Amino acid sequence: MKLMKSEEPLPGRAVALILLLCVSGMRAEPARYSVPEEAERGSFVANIAKDLGLTGEELLVRQARLVPEGEKQYFQLNQHTGDLVVREQMDREELCGQSEPCL
């Protein structure tokens, strides 16, 4: 199940934007990731470093980080490996209410 909402972007969009801002000098193309709402804490989402063509060390040097838009930090970035993992399980109803589709 993909999380979708048209009014308020989810942290996934914020993650893509933050990563693009953190990695200067690269071609600006947004990265999109789908995360099932049932994904447990610690579930692997993607390797951001690999997707951006960087090493974990480069992420660390550039001080890449995730900045949540809301109160909750749904994802965690390991700067040493570039792995993006679920930090907190997402609840579709909490994020989108009755809106369909929920992005």
Side-chain angles (χ1 to χ4, degrees):
M1 171 187 239
K2 289 185 181 180
L3 296 177
M4 302 173 185
K5 184 172 182 176
S6 55
E7 292 87 29
E8 294 180 83
L10 263 183
R13 288 189 183 189
V15 168
L17 178 61
I18 299 303
L19 289 173
L20 289 174
L21 294 175
C22 290
V23 183
S24 63
M26 293 192 71
R27 198 168 143 200
E29 290 185 20
R32 292 182 179 224
Y33 304 100
S34 295
V35 180
E37 71 174 293
E38 300 85 15
E40 297 291 330
R41 259 184 107 169
S43 297
F44 178 81
V45 176
N47 185 292
I48 299 296
K50 180 180 176 186
D51 292 347
L52 294 172
L54 301 171
T55 65
E57 184 177 309
E58 288 173 306
L59 285 179
L60 186 60
V61 169
R62 293 173 186 232
Q63 298 178 348
R65 64 189 183 280
L66 304 177
V67 179
E69 286 185 355
E71 299 172 11
K72 295 183 180 179
Q73 177 91 27
Y74 290 101
F75 302 99
Q76 182 175 349
L77 176 63
N78 181 325
Q79 291 180 327
H80 298 283
T81 64
D83 288 344
L84 181 67
V85 297
V86 174
R87 180 176 179 179
E88 186 171 330
Q89 193 172 24
M90 291 170 264
D91 179 7
R92 184 201 167 297
E93 286 77 22
E94 183 182 322
L95 292 168
C96 301
Q98 298 301 317
S99 299
E100 289 288 338
C102 178
L103 290 173

